[in-house]
Amino acid sequence: MLVVAVAVAAMSTAAGGPAPMAGRPVADIIDEFRAAGYPFAYSDALVTGEMVVMAEPDPGEPPDIVRQILQSHRLTVRYEAGIYLVIPAAPVEAAPPARGVEKATAETGIETITVSASRYEIGRDISSSRFRLDRRTIQNMPDVGEDPLRITHRLPGAAASGASAKVHFRGGEETEVGIVLNGLDLFDPYHVRDYQNVFSAIDSRAIEGVEVFTGGFPVRFGDRMSGFVLMDTMEADTPRHTELGISVYNTSVLTTGSLSDSRWLFSARRGNLDLVIDPEYGQPRYFDVFGQYAVDLSDTTTFSVNALYADDGVTVVLEADPAEREQMDSDTRNVQLWLELTNDWSEELSTSTVLSLVEFDNLREGFLDDPEKMIAAVRDERDVRQLGIRQDWTWRAAERHVVQWGVQVQFAEASYDYASSAQYFGLPELYPQLPDRLDRGTLASRDGGSYGAYFADRWKFADGTILEWGLRWDDQTYTGLASDSQLSPRLSVLHRIGDRTDLRLSWGRYHQSQGVHELQVEDDIADYWPA
């Protein structure tokens, strides 16, 4: 403690008295204590540079001093896993524990505790998480391409190719991971999708935090086998804030703001890879735009409008020699619009309703002209339209009992226009069973509904033990299968062994259907597979 004593002493005046703190930035005080050896952690979106100490605190230990200077800003300190975390204060604070540090206790609301195993939270309430990376940390991570989804590659049970922004969880396929932004399960939110899905269409600066399930997720989430990545956009804490950015990956602008009862966020990015890659090898051209506007209609009702637009025009030259030319072109337009309405009907009952619209168009064309090996061409055009509605209910039946249920309905249509031809030279001699020419063509359309419903019951049996059981039902009508509905029972248990040790066990059944846009026309397959 000698280093701490010397550092704290340095904060005294030359006369030996305590250095005044009133009027100084709150962040400076916390940083000084952190430099002295106290493990404080805070988000600069929560402790802003404009916050100053309103009144001189009473003498005490650093955690107690910080707690005092945060009170006027409606913040407090909680000691969790060896770290003093700066968090929003509860509306009515209980008596502080020893040393003035608020600790996570059994009184934590049962609906805020995640029981499932294999769940990691990045940038939100850290009470039940193992990892915490806030928005600024995600942006500063090396080699992430300013992409919030790449941060999931570093979690236990995750694997990735390095080139792609997509991730595998616990040996599953990359298509088995759902991406949720502000309550909507996003439709294919990636750039350069036909070539490794190099980046996502989500600006890391617009994201407040990332929460990840790598298995054992509750029944609220369905139609995925491996896991979910949940993201919420940041909320403005100043009347107006604007950022301009330029890097190897993107040129971008982000602006946020708030009024008394409304908030907005706008982000636009233009990819820069076409400026740094030799045109001889192709040109990846892409951009994305995201906007959100939220308004408090009353003290208990909030309405928000969200829109995400992504556009790609990618040319890849695999072989530039005119005698062996090989080139692929891909053009993609992805529009997603969703409205969300949240209601607190009472202290016990609340709902969230999301209405969404998706329009997705992709055209892929390519050719190979090598008279010594193969002459081939392909044209693959796919269009998707999807309209969905989802409603989730939460009923806090008692202090130790929470019930959740919800329904989800989607209507979608997809059209396919596929044609390919290939003529082989040399291969028939090596593989006589293969034809020397292959021609395929499919012109098809599919439409129908996708339905889901769930019920979850959560009980807190003791201060350290919580059990949640649930049942989910899903069905799809566009597949044409006579009977392919899916039932998914799940069970999770959380037992708190000590202040720093939790034991989570999860069991369940999980299904994933083949999407209406995933018909394998390129393999000359005209039917869907069962879930």
Side-chain angles (χ1 to χ4, degrees), residues 11-38:
M11 298 173 61
S12 300
T13 63
M21 297 184 185
R24 295 182 58 195
V26 173
D28 288 357
I29 303 297
I30 299 177
D31 290 344
E32 288 177 358
F33 285 134
R34 184 162 57 181
Y38 280 84

PDB file of all heavy atoms in Angstrom, residues 11-38:
ATOM      1  N   MET A  11      -1.865  14.189  -3.763  1.00  0.00           N
ATOM      2  CA  MET A  11      -3.053  14.966  -4.043  1.00  0.00           C
ATOM      3  C   MET A  11      -3.295  16.029  -2.978  1.00  0.00           C
ATOM      4  O   MET A  11      -4.302  16.723  -2.989  1.00  0.00           O
ATOM      5  CB  MET A  11      -4.281  14.033  -4.133  1.00  0.00           C
ATOM      6  CG  MET A  11      -4.191  12.994  -5.265  1.00  0.00           C
ATOM      7  SD  MET A  11      -5.533  11.800  -5.228  1.00  0.00           S
ATOM      8  CE  MET A  11      -6.940  12.883  -5.443  1.00  0.00           C
ATOM      9  N   SER A  12      -2.370  16.131  -2.028  1.00  0.00           N
ATOM     10  CA  SER A  12      -2.487  17.139  -0.986  1.00  0.00           C
ATOM     11  C   SER A  12      -1.769  18.409  -1.415  1.00  0.00           C
ATOM     12  O   SER A  12      -0.906  18.402  -2.287  1.00  0.00           O
ATOM     13  CB  SER A  12      -1.876  16.616   0.316  1.00  0.00           C
ATOM     14  OG  SER A  12      -2.544  15.437   0.733  1.00  0.00           O
ATOM     15  N   THR A  13      -2.114  19.485  -0.799  1.00  0.00           N
ATOM     16  CA  THR A  13      -1.464  20.751  -1.094  1.00  0.00           C
ATOM     17  C   THR A  13      -0.100  20.796  -0.451  1.00  0.00           C
ATOM     18  O   THR A  13       0.270  19.953   0.362  1.00  0.00           O
ATOM     19  CB  THR A  13      -2.322  21.907  -0.558  1.00  0.00           C
ATOM     20  OG1 THR A  13      -2.391  21.776   0.866  1.00  0.00           O
ATOM     21  CG2 THR A  13      -3.711  21.871  -1.142  1.00  0.00           C
ATOM     22  N   ALA A  14       0.667  21.804  -0.848  1.00  0.00           N
ATOM     23  CA  ALA A  14       2.012  21.942  -0.284  1.00  0.00           C
ATOM     24  C   ALA A  14       1.944  22.147   1.211  1.00  0.00           C
ATOM     25  O   ALA A  14       2.874  21.814   1.934  1.00  0.00           O
ATOM     26  CB  ALA A  14       2.720  23.110  -0.959  1.00  0.00           C
ATOM     27  N   ALA A  15       0.839  22.710   1.714  1.00  0.00           N
ATOM     28  CA  ALA A  15       0.713  22.945   3.143  1.00  0.00           C
ATOM     29  C   ALA A  15       0.366  21.678   3.889  1.00  0.00           C
ATOM     30  O   ALA A  15       0.310  21.673   5.108  1.00  0.00           O
ATOM     31  CB  ALA A  15      -0.358  24.012   3.405  1.00  0.00           C
ATOM     32  N   GLY A  16       0.129  20.593   3.154  1.00  0.00           N
ATOM     33  CA  GLY A  16      -0.169  19.341   3.825  1.00  0.00           C
ATOM     34  C   GLY A  16      -1.638  19.057   3.943  1.00  0.00           C
ATOM     35  O   GLY A  16      -2.006  17.968   4.360  1.00  0.00           O
ATOM     36  N   GLY A  17      -2.521  19.989   3.628  1.00  0.00           N
ATOM     37  CA  GLY A  17      -3.951  19.739   3.723  1.00  0.00           C
ATOM     38  C   GLY A  17      -4.466  19.048   2.487  1.00  0.00           C
ATOM     39  O   GLY A  17      -3.777  18.956   1.466  1.00  0.00           O
ATOM     40  N   PRO A  18      -5.693  18.520   2.532  1.00  0.00           N
ATOM     41  CA  PRO A  18      -6.267  17.849   1.370  1.00  0.00           C
ATOM     42  C   PRO A  18      -6.433  18.803   0.203  1.00  0.00           C
ATOM     43  O   PRO A  18      -6.840  19.943   0.374  1.00  0.00           O
ATOM     44  CB  PRO A  18      -7.630  17.363   1.892  1.00  0.00           C
ATOM     45  CG  PRO A  18      -7.525  17.411   3.388  1.00  0.00           C
ATOM     46  CD  PRO A  18      -6.574  18.536   3.703  1.00  0.00           C
ATOM     47  N   ALA A  19      -6.115  18.318  -0.986  1.00  0.00           N
ATOM     48  CA  ALA A  19      -6.314  19.126  -2.183  1.00  0.00           C
ATOM     49  C   ALA A  19      -7.796  19.246  -2.467  1.00  0.00           C
ATOM     50  O   ALA A  19      -8.518  18.257  -2.406  1.00  0.00           O
ATOM     51  CB  ALA A  19      -5.600  18.484  -3.372  1.00  0.00           C
ATOM     52  N   PRO A  20      -8.301  20.425  -2.758  1.00  0.00           N
ATOM     53  CA  PRO A  20      -9.733  20.575  -3.018  1.00  0.00           C
ATOM     54  C   PRO A  20     -10.138  19.836  -4.279  1.00  0.00           C
ATOM     55  O   PRO A  20      -9.413  19.818  -5.277  1.00  0.00           O
ATOM     56  CB  PRO A  20      -9.897  22.087  -3.160  1.00  0.00           C
ATOM     57  CG  PRO A  20      -8.546  22.588  -3.550  1.00  0.00           C
ATOM     58  CD  PRO A  20      -7.576  21.697  -2.851  1.00  0.00           C
ATOM     59  N   MET A  21     -11.311  19.191  -4.232  1.00  0.00           N
ATOM     60  CA  MET A  21     -11.838  18.450  -5.378  1.00  0.00           C
ATOM     61  C   MET A  21     -13.010  19.162  -6.027  1.00  0.00           C
ATOM     62  O   MET A  21     -13.303  18.920  -7.202  1.00  0.00           O
ATOM     63  CB  MET A  21     -12.259  17.034  -4.953  1.00  0.00           C
ATOM     64  CG  MET A  21     -11.140  16.167  -4.436  1.00  0.00           C
ATOM     65  SD  MET A  21     -11.710  14.488  -4.086  1.00  0.00           S
ATOM     66  CE  MET A  21     -10.228  13.792  -3.356  1.00  0.00           C
ATOM     67  N   ALA A  22     -13.716  20.004  -5.295  1.00  0.00           N
ATOM     68  CA  ALA A  22     -14.887  20.684  -5.835  1.00  0.00           C
ATOM     69  C   ALA A  22     -14.511  21.485  -7.073  1.00  0.00           C
ATOM     70  O   ALA A  22     -13.500  22.201  -7.097  1.00  0.00           O
ATOM     71  CB  ALA A  22     -15.504  21.596  -4.775  1.00  0.00           C
ATOM     72  N   GLY A  23     -15.290  21.317  -8.134  1.00  0.00           N
ATOM     73  CA  GLY A  23     -15.067  22.027  -9.368  1.00  0.00           C
ATOM     74  C   GLY A  23     -14.178  21.296 -10.363  1.00  0.00           C
ATOM     75  O   GLY A  23     -14.105  21.681 -11.529  1.00  0.00           O
ATOM     76  N   ARG A  24     -13.487  20.242  -9.913  1.00  0.00           N
ATOM     77  CA  ARG A  24     -12.626  19.483 -10.817  1.00  0.00           C
ATOM     78  C   ARG A  24     -13.442  18.426 -11.566  1.00  0.00           C
ATOM     79  O   ARG A  24     -14.469  17.958 -11.087  1.00  0.00           O
ATOM     80  CB  ARG A  24     -11.505  18.797 -10.032  1.00  0.00           C
ATOM     81  CG  ARG A  24     -10.523  19.739  -9.364  1.00  0.00           C
ATOM     82  CD  ARG A  24      -9.440  18.946  -8.651  1.00  0.00           C
ATOM     83  NE  ARG A  24      -8.727  18.070  -9.591  1.00  0.00           N
ATOM     84  CZ  ARG A  24      -7.942  17.064  -9.201  1.00  0.00           C
ATOM     85  NH1 ARG A  24      -7.778  16.816  -7.906  1.00  0.00           N
ATOM     86  NH2 ARG A  24      -7.332  16.317 -10.088  1.00  0.00           N
ATOM     87  N   PRO A  25     -12.994  18.007 -12.757  1.00  0.00           N
ATOM     88  CA  PRO A  25     -13.701  16.948 -13.477  1.00  0.00           C
ATOM     89  C   PRO A  25     -13.733  15.646 -12.680  1.00  0.00           C
ATOM     90  O   PRO A  25     -12.723  15.243 -12.086  1.00  0.00           O
ATOM     91  CB  PRO A  25     -12.891  16.787 -14.770  1.00  0.00           C
ATOM     92  CG  PRO A  25     -12.209  18.109 -14.945  1.00  0.00           C
ATOM     93  CD  PRO A  25     -11.893  18.593 -13.548  1.00  0.00           C
ATOM     94  N   VAL A  26     -14.888  14.995 -12.661  1.00  0.00           N
ATOM     95  CA  VAL A  26     -15.034  13.735 -11.934  1.00  0.00           C
ATOM     96  C   VAL A  26     -14.076  12.689 -12.497  1.00  0.00           C
ATOM     97  O   VAL A  26     -13.465  11.924 -11.746  1.00  0.00           O
ATOM     98  CB  VAL A  26     -16.495  13.247 -12.027  1.00  0.00           C
ATOM     99  CG1 VAL A  26     -16.625  11.844 -11.433  1.00  0.00           C
ATOM    100  CG2 VAL A  26     -17.426  14.216 -11.312  1.00  0.00           C
ATOM    101  N   ALA A  27     -13.936  12.644 -13.827  1.00  0.00           N
ATOM    102  CA  ALA A  27     -13.066  11.637 -14.439  1.00  0.00           C
ATOM    103  C   ALA A  27     -11.622  11.791 -13.982  1.00  0.00           C
ATOM    104  O   ALA A  27     -10.914  10.790 -13.812  1.00  0.00           O
ATOM    105  CB  ALA A  27     -13.151  11.735 -15.970  1.00  0.00           C
ATOM    106  N   ASP A  28     -11.178  13.047 -13.757  1.00  0.00           N
ATOM    107  CA  ASP A  28      -9.795  13.255 -13.306  1.00  0.00           C
ATOM    108  C   ASP A  28      -9.580  12.648 -11.929  1.00  0.00           C
ATOM    109  O   ASP A  28      -8.527  12.049 -11.653  1.00  0.00           O
ATOM    110  CB  ASP A  28      -9.472  14.754 -13.282  1.00  0.00           C
ATOM    111  CG  ASP A  28      -9.337  15.329 -14.690  1.00  0.00           C
ATOM    112  OD1 ASP A  28      -9.435  14.547 -15.658  1.00  0.00           O
ATOM    113  OD2 ASP A  28      -9.151  16.559 -14.804  1.00  0.00           O
ATOM    114  N   ILE A  29     -10.551  12.825 -11.035  1.00  0.00           N
ATOM    115  CA  ILE A  29     -10.429  12.270  -9.681  1.00  0.00           C
ATOM    116  C   ILE A  29     -10.342  10.750  -9.740  1.00  0.00           C
ATOM    117  O   ILE A  29      -9.481  10.124  -9.113  1.00  0.00           O
ATOM    118  CB  ILE A  29     -11.628  12.704  -8.817  1.00  0.00           C
ATOM    119  CG1 ILE A  29     -11.732  14.238  -8.765  1.00  0.00           C
ATOM    120  CG2 ILE A  29     -11.505  12.115  -7.418  1.00  0.00           C
ATOM    121  CD1 ILE A  29     -10.555  14.918  -8.133  1.00  0.00           C
ATOM    122  N   ILE A  30     -11.238  10.130 -10.549  1.00  0.00           N
ATOM    123  CA  ILE A  30     -11.232   8.668 -10.653  1.00  0.00           C
ATOM    124  C   ILE A  30      -9.923   8.176 -11.262  1.00  0.00           C
ATOM    125  O   ILE A  30      -9.344   7.187 -10.807  1.00  0.00           O
ATOM    126  CB  ILE A  30     -12.442   8.198 -11.479  1.00  0.00           C
ATOM    127  CG1 ILE A  30     -13.752   8.610 -10.799  1.00  0.00           C
ATOM    128  CG2 ILE A  30     -12.407   6.688 -11.677  1.00  0.00           C
ATOM    129  CD1 ILE A  30     -14.993   8.257 -11.586  1.00  0.00           C
ATOM    130  N   ASP A  31      -9.443   8.877 -12.277  1.00  0.00           N
ATOM    131  CA  ASP A  31      -8.193   8.453 -12.926  1.00  0.00           C
ATOM    132  C   ASP A  31      -7.010   8.539 -11.977  1.00  0.00           C
ATOM    133  O   ASP A  31      -6.089   7.706 -12.033  1.00  0.00           O
ATOM    134  CB  ASP A  31      -7.935   9.314 -14.163  1.00  0.00           C
ATOM    135  CG  ASP A  31      -8.915   9.021 -15.295  1.00  0.00           C
ATOM    136  OD1 ASP A  31      -9.570   7.964 -15.234  1.00  0.00           O
ATOM    137  OD2 ASP A  31      -9.035   9.853 -16.216  1.00  0.00           O
ATOM    138  N   GLU A  32      -7.005   9.528 -11.094  1.00  0.00           N
ATOM    139  CA  GLU A  32      -5.919   9.638 -10.131  1.00  0.00           C
ATOM    140  C   GLU A  32      -5.925   8.474  -9.150  1.00  0.00           C
ATOM    141  O   GLU A  32      -4.876   7.911  -8.815  1.00  0.00           O
ATOM    142  CB  GLU A  32      -6.018  10.975  -9.391  1.00  0.00           C
ATOM    143  CG  GLU A  32      -5.652  12.175 -10.260  1.00  0.00           C
ATOM    144  CD  GLU A  32      -5.835  13.488  -9.521  1.00  0.00           C
ATOM    145  OE1 GLU A  32      -6.276  13.458  -8.356  1.00  0.00           O
ATOM    146  OE2 GLU A  32      -5.542  14.556 -10.109  1.00  0.00           O
ATOM    147  N   PHE A  33      -7.113   8.099  -8.693  1.00  0.00           N
ATOM    148  CA  PHE A  33      -7.200   6.941  -7.804  1.00  0.00           C
ATOM    149  C   PHE A  33      -6.810   5.659  -8.543  1.00  0.00           C
ATOM    150  O   PHE A  33      -6.176   4.762  -7.968  1.00  0.00           O
ATOM    151  CB  PHE A  33      -8.613   6.809  -7.242  1.00  0.00           C
ATOM    152  CG  PHE A  33      -8.923   7.815  -6.158  1.00  0.00           C
ATOM    153  CD1 PHE A  33     -10.118   8.516  -6.167  1.00  0.00           C
ATOM    154  CD2 PHE A  33      -8.037   8.046  -5.127  1.00  0.00           C
ATOM    155  CE1 PHE A  33     -10.418   9.444  -5.179  1.00  0.00           C
ATOM    156  CE2 PHE A  33      -8.322   8.973  -4.123  1.00  0.00           C
ATOM    157  CZ  PHE A  33      -9.509   9.670  -4.157  1.00  0.00           C
ATOM    158  N   ARG A  34      -7.174   5.570  -9.813  1.00  0.00           N
ATOM    159  CA  ARG A  34      -6.835   4.384 -10.588  1.00  0.00           C
ATOM    160  C   ARG A  34      -5.320   4.294 -10.770  1.00  0.00           C
ATOM    161  O   ARG A  34      -4.730   3.207 -10.684  1.00  0.00           O
ATOM    162  CB  ARG A  34      -7.547   4.431 -11.941  1.00  0.00           C
ATOM    163  CG  ARG A  34      -7.323   3.190 -12.779  1.00  0.00           C
ATOM    164  CD  ARG A  34      -8.351   3.054 -13.872  1.00  0.00           C
ATOM    165  NE  ARG A  34      -8.393   4.215 -14.753  1.00  0.00           N
ATOM    166  CZ  ARG A  34      -9.229   4.332 -15.765  1.00  0.00           C
ATOM    167  NH1 ARG A  34     -10.107   3.371 -15.993  1.00  0.00           N
ATOM    168  NH2 ARG A  34      -9.205   5.403 -16.530  1.00  0.00           N
ATOM    169  N   ALA A  35      -4.684   5.447 -11.031  1.00  0.00           N
ATOM    170  CA  ALA A  35      -3.225   5.457 -11.160  1.00  0.00           C
ATOM    171  C   ALA A  35      -2.548   5.089  -9.844  1.00  0.00           C
ATOM    172  O   ALA A  35      -1.426   4.589  -9.833  1.00  0.00           O
ATOM    173  CB  ALA A  35      -2.760   6.836 -11.633  1.00  0.00           C
ATOM    174  N   ALA A  36      -3.276   5.319  -8.733  1.00  0.00           N
ATOM    175  CA  ALA A  36      -2.712   4.994  -7.423  1.00  0.00           C
ATOM    176  C   ALA A  36      -2.855   3.520  -7.079  1.00  0.00           C
ATOM    177  O   ALA A  36      -2.354   3.088  -6.043  1.00  0.00           O
ATOM    178  CB  ALA A  36      -3.386   5.843  -6.345  1.00  0.00           C
ATOM    179  N   GLY A  37      -3.542   2.760  -7.930  1.00  0.00           N
ATOM    180  CA  GLY A  37      -3.635   1.323  -7.687  1.00  0.00           C
ATOM    181  C   GLY A  37      -5.022   0.805  -7.431  1.00  0.00           C
ATOM    182  O   GLY A  37      -5.213  -0.405  -7.300  1.00  0.00           O
ATOM    183  N   TYR A  38      -6.019   1.701  -7.333  1.00  0.00           N
ATOM    184  CA  TYR A  38      -7.387   1.250  -7.133  1.00  0.00           C
ATOM    185  C   TYR A  38      -8.007   0.904  -8.485  1.00  0.00           C
ATOM    186  O   TYR A  38      -8.015   1.742  -9.390  1.00  0.00           O
ATOM    187  CB  TYR A  38      -8.225   2.321  -6.430  1.00  0.00           C
ATOM    188  CG  TYR A  38      -8.008   2.364  -4.938  1.00  0.00           C
ATOM    189  CD1 TYR A  38      -6.941   3.068  -4.379  1.00  0.00           C
ATOM    190  CD2 TYR A  38      -8.855   1.672  -4.084  1.00  0.00           C
ATOM    191  CE1 TYR A  38      -6.730   3.100  -3.019  1.00  0.00           C
ATOM    192  CE2 TYR A  38      -8.660   1.699  -2.713  1.00  0.00           C
ATOM    193  CZ  TYR A  38      -7.600   2.414  -2.179  1.00  0.00           C
ATOM    194  OH  TYR A  38      -7.401   2.442  -0.833  1.00  0.00           O
TER     195      TYR A  38
END
